[in-house]
Amino acid sequence: MSPRHHAVERLLIANRGEIAVRIARTAHRLGIGTVGVYSEPDRTALHVDSVDVAIALGGSTPAESYLRGDAVIAAARSTGADAIHPGYGFLAENAGFAQAVIDAGLTWVGPTPEQITLLGDKVAAKRAALAAGVPTTSMIEVVDGRVDGDVTYPALVKAAAGGGGRGMRVVRSADDLADAVAAASREAASAFGDGAVFIEPFLERGRHVEVQIMGDRHGNVIHLGERECSIQRRNQKIVEESPSAGIAPETRTALCDGAVALARHVGYEGAGTVEFMVGADGATITFLEVNTRLQVEHPVTEAVTGLDLVEMQLLVAAGEPLPIAQDDVTFGGHAIEVRVVAEDPATGWMPSTGRIDRFSIGEATSEEGDGIRIDTGVRDGSTISSDYDSLVAKVIAHAPTRAGAARQLARALRASQITGIRTNLESLVAILGESDYLAANTPTAYLAEHPDVLAPAGPSGDDRTALLLGAVFALQREHRSSDRTTPFAPSGWRNLRTRGQRQVWIDPRGDELHVEYEMASAWQPGGAVVESAIVRLGPWPMPDETGALGPDERTAHAIRLLDRSSDRAAIEIDGRRHVVAAEVVRRAVGLDDDGIDAVAVHVRSAAGALTLTRAPRFVLHDAESATGGPISPLPGTVIAVHVEAGESVVDGQLLMVVEAMKMEHKIVAAGDATVTEVRFDVGDRVDTGDLLVALDHGDDA
């Protein structure tokens, strides 16, 4: 019997990021003291400032810090903590760690070690589900890399341990099976320390639906409804909602009843999630797994039930019975959560690392603002590292209807800005307004079937023009405020007759935006001065071979700068007023270093946000260095090398695999070549821009 028999007084949170901040919030509301832990890169992180006291674990990688169970328990003892909450990830589903916590005389906030062991093994969990009467498909176990059984395609190779979509591969032909098994096993071993995998049928265009369960030590088990999490990339969720809008009432009942039956069968304690796939026919139900922890997407359940799941976890861990029965659980409205991640959907969800210059979600970055809940572990100045996952923030909207929640959430995201890294903010806005999404046609194939949402154009028309001019006049204001030589002269003044100032700006898609403007000032009644300008957009006339200029067919726009400050401006364009926030930066993602006057401006309005880069007027023509091979697209660790010096390779051949943010990135050859040097070995750290494999392309170089 574990020693969990008294209310928690001081809680150690064995995690980082948004979940550590979120757990601390509930603990403090309940009057519980909090202890945090941190790695060296996290020494100034938000979660460290969100607890009463924090203990350094040292190191930078998870293995050197957050996965050190002995150090976490020692931190609890040294600070007088009497309980440990693991959050999700890291040690949350580690039965050995749970047992060590209990053996140390501390309260473990989670299921029993035995339940973690049973349900954490997806093969054993399937057997338990069958015994409990939960519907599931057949499975084929993989032993020492051998597949014993007939595989039906498409099939899903899946890690027996862990979660988060790692160690999973969809296989569509027998020719790809061996490579998929090897890759999934390697990824599972790296992520979870267990390379065991199994194979099950893959349901095309199914829905990923999961049920939140909660049990106590007294035999009580309830469900808190379902969540749909079908919109995924790399088998990891990015949009989650409750209730599911794509299943029938009888399917919902079957899912919830099945989840409770399985929980009762194993005597489940604490919070857990039973995951299912619902087939395209809406009736086929396949059991997937049980996550023996709090889920990333738990806020949508909290929104529709009004319950605090962390508070319930702490009560159950202390030996208390569940505070409510199944009949007491009520559901209201619809909640949608999106995950803002440091990845670029337009480039295959390539992770982005670096320092966050500005972090602003909606109208505020507090927990609740205009009906929007924000769970995050970052702030201005935070650093996104390749050592941890790419989650930046979770943004949740709750409204009476699904359509209302989608509108509310899209508005908050359009008004958001995260600079210094690339994120999926614009893609999320596009999803929330897309017709199939609004019609709840959201199978797991949604993103593959809607590639247009991965690289949306962002604000268009007058809204895009306002953002462009917001950037132009923010830079103009900065130049004027720093001018110590000719402050008396109007902006753009020349001592020769000439046209207005001409600039070329580059938008996130690489398109060139040509701007020409002439500034003027007008005195208003009462002595006020209103700055104005004539702006022409589009390429300016260029001379032909005779030197003659062609006709200027650009439209002239009348601009008034009605109100300006260091970070915002009210801009009137042909009588239409726009408010644009702007930040001029000399360092930005994608900003080339070859221009001596390169500059970028982050602009934001109610219509959306953009980062616009002014093309440099002068370029430093340094000698180009031919890399002669692929370079690392991001910081990470080499986990596989597939070639050696002297080997001939063909176009598209796999050269190396780099892991970053818990995801594998394949490095392939661009064209036929000969390997002249392999620059890194397995286990080596690489940085963005590092030449990984030197290639000799011969005469085709």
Side-chain angles (χ1 to χ4, degrees):
M1 176 66 68
S2 75
R4 298 178 292 174
H5 59 274
H6 60 82
V8 174
E9 295 182 0
R10 193 165 206 188
L11 180 68
L12 184 141
I13 305 167
N15 219 295
R16 67 181 297 278
E18 65 87 12
I19 190 59
V21 176
R22 184 265 170 275
I23 293 168
R25 190 165 60 236
T26 287
H28 294 163
R29 180 175 61 79
L30 299 175
I32 298 172
T34 53
V35 178
V37 291
Y38 60 95
S39 64
E40 186 59 21
D42 281 343
R43 62 189 180 277
T44 60
L46 178 60
H47 82 269
V48 177
D49 288 338
S50 300
V51 293
D52 298 330
V53 63
I55 301 297
L57 296 174
S60 60
T61 67
E64 297 167 338
S65 54
Y66 298 104
L67 290 175
R68 292 178 55 207
D70 55 343
V72 171
I73 292 174
R77 283 175 159 166
S78 69
T79 56
D82 57 350
I84 292 180
H85 194 308
Y88 56 75
F90 296 134
L91 297 167
E93 295 175 286
N94 186 315
F97 176 67
Q99 189 61 57
V101 170
I102 294 170
D103 291 344
L106 303 172
T107 295
W108 167 251
V109 184
T112 67
E114 295 77 16
Q115 291 163 356
I116 295 174
T117 299
L118 171 66
L119 299 173
D121 183 330
K122 295 180 178 65
V123 174
K126 281 214 168 194
R127 296 191 184 115
L130 283 166
V134 179
T136 185
T137 58
S138 60
M139 65 176 172
I140 299 173
E141 297 186 48
V142 178
V143 181
D144 297 328
R146 299 191 314 274
V147 179
D148 297 324
D150 295 328
V151 179
T152 301
Y153 298 96
L156 183 65
V157 180
K158 197 170 183 180
R166 292 181 292 278
M168 293 177 63
R169 295 291 188 278
V170 176
V171 186
R172 300 190 180 277
S173 73
D175 294 340
D176 300 328
L177 183 61
D179 287 344
V181 167
S185 179
R186 181 177 62 243
E187 190 173 69
S190 172
F192 316 121
D194 183 350
V197 297
F198 66 98
I199 303 169
E200 64 184 6
F202 176 68
L203 293 182
E204 295 276 16
R205 305 193 81 256
R207 291 179 183 271
H208 187 129
V209 185
E210 60 191 29
V211 178
Q212 178 71 57
I213 57 171
M214 189 74 70
D216 63 26
R217 218 182 304 173
H218 306 279
N220 302 308
V221 177
I222 61 173
H223 74 80
L224 300 177
E226 88 285 355
R227 300 183 288 257
E228 178 163 331
C229 315
S230 300
I231 300 180
Q232 305 176 3
R233 81 333 183 185
R234 291 174 173 163
N235 298 311
Q236 294 183 328
K237 308 157 187 173
I238 60 168
V239 181
E240 302 116 338
E241 53 189 293
S242 183
S244 169
I247 60 174
E250 55 270 22
T251 303
R252 177 176 291 108
T253 299
L255 294 175
C256 293
D257 288 350
V260 171
L262 178 56
R264 290 191 188 281
H265 180 73
V266 300
Y268 195 81
E269 297 182 23
T273 301
V274 184
E275 303 201 357
F276 298 91
M277 283 292 292
V278 178
D281 59 5
T284 303
I285 299 173
T286 298
F287 166 78
L288 294 179
E289 61 183 335
V290 179
N291 288 312
T292 55
R293 54 171 168 81
L294 197 65
Q295 290 279 91
V296 177
E297 57 271 22
H298 75 273
V300 295
T301 296
E302 294 183 324
V304 297
T305 63
L307 300 171
D308 186 324
L309 269 63
V310 172
E311 179 178 2
M312 296 178 74
Q313 283 186 296
L314 294 172
L315 287 172
V316 169
E320 298 291 332
L322 288 172
I324 58 174
Q326 188 67 66
D327 290 343
D328 299 323
V329 180
T330 59
F331 302 95
H334 197 99
I336 305 173
E337 171 182 297
V338 294
R339 300 190 194 186
V340 180
V341 295
E343 301 175 30
D344 185 358
T347 59
W349 297 92
M350 182 64 69
S352 178
T353 59
R355 182 182 183 274
I356 295 176
D357 295 319
R358 173 171 293 184
F359 175 78
S360 175
I361 298 291
E363 301 300 323
T365 55
S366 58
E367 177 194 353
E368 301 282 347
D370 294 335
I372 297 295
R373 169 174 166 176
I374 302 157
D375 281 16
T376 186
V378 306
R379 56 189 169 188
D380 292 356
S382 292
T383 298
I384 301 297
S385 165
S386 63
D387 290 316
Y388 309 114
D389 66 41
S390 61
L391 182 62
V392 175
K394 304 181 316 195
V395 189
I396 306 98
H398 182 216
T401 66
R402 183 173 184 269
R407 286 195 302 269
Q408 188 179 35
L409 189 51
R411 176 177 174 81
L413 296 178
R414 277 194 297 269
S416 301
Q417 191 163 49
I418 302 173
T419 64
I421 58 171
R422 299 191 190 279
T423 72
N424 62 331
L425 268 175
E426 287 188 3
S427 179
L428 293 171
V429 172
I431 290 170
L432 292 167
E434 193 275 323
S435 58
D436 274 341
Y437 175 80
L438 294 174
N441 296 325
T442 54
T444 52
Y446 176 85
L447 289 182
E449 296 174 354
H450 297 80
D452 51 311
V453 303
L454 299 182
S460 60
D462 291 343
D463 293 325
R464 196 173 187 85
T465 298
L467 290 174
L468 171 61
L469 296 186
V472 169
F473 292 117
L475 186 59
Q476 180 264 347
R477 184 182 190 279
E478 184 196 69
H479 286 169
R480 295 301 294 157
S481 64
S482 60
D483 185 357
R484 299 292 181 266
T485 305
T486 57
F488 58 86
S491 179
W493 176 83
R494 307 263 200 298
N495 61 2
L496 295 173
R497 179 176 175 80
T498 183
R499 300 300 299 269
Q501 296 193 64
R502 291 175 172 178
Q503 297 175 350
V504 178
W505 292 77
I506 311 298
D507 73 6
R509 296 175 297 180
D511 294 338
E512 292 188 349
L513 308 175
H514 294 71
V515 181
E516 181 178 313
Y517 69 93
E518 299 175 59
M519 297 293 297
S521 298
W523 291 93
Q524 298 294 312
V529 177
V530 175
E531 292 183 288
S532 62
I534 299 297
V535 172
R536 294 174 175 85
L537 302 178
W540 35 81
M542 299 296 290
D544 60 20
E545 61 274 6
T546 68
L549 287 176
D552 188 348
E553 299 178 348
R554 296 172 297 169
T555 301
H557 299 276
I559 308 299
R560 289 200 301 169
L561 304 176
L562 303 179
D563 183 21
R564 304 178 77 184
S565 65
S566 60
D567 60 358
R568 70 182 293 279
I571 305 174
E572 183 187 87
I573 306 173
D574 297 329
R576 181 175 177 176
R577 188 176 186 272
H578 305 259
V579 177
V580 180
E583 177 188 9
V584 179
V585 295
R586 303 291 167 176
R587 180 194 66 82
V589 174
L591 188 61
D592 294 331
D593 294 328
D594 57 355
I596 60 176
D597 62 344
V599 65
V601 182
H602 302 307
V603 284
R604 174 168 54 103
S605 71
L610 287 175
T611 295
L612 297 168
T613 304
R614 193 188 68 181
R617 291 170 295 175
F618 308 103
V619 176
L620 302 178
H621 296 286
D622 291 338
E624 291 187 359
S625 60
T627 60
I631 62 174
S632 181
L634 75 173
T637 302
V638 176
I639 62 171
V641 177
H642 292 271
V643 294
E644 58 185 20
E647 183 177 344
S648 295
V649 297
V650 298
D651 184 39
Q653 182 173 335
L654 181 63
L655 306 176
M656 187 178 288
V657 181
V658 175
E659 183 182 61
M661 290 184 173
K662 303 182 180 178
M663 291 179 283
E664 293 186 3
H665 304 276
K666 295 181 179 180
I667 308 300
V668 300
D672 299 348
T674 300
V675 177
T676 59
E677 183 183 5
V678 178
R679 295 286 187 93
F680 296 92
D681 295 322
V682 173
D684 287 348
R685 302 275 293 181
V686 296
D687 204 350
T688 302
D690 284 347
L691 176 62
L692 300 176
V693 179
L695 299 176
D696 181 2
H697 291 274
D699 295 337
D700 296 330

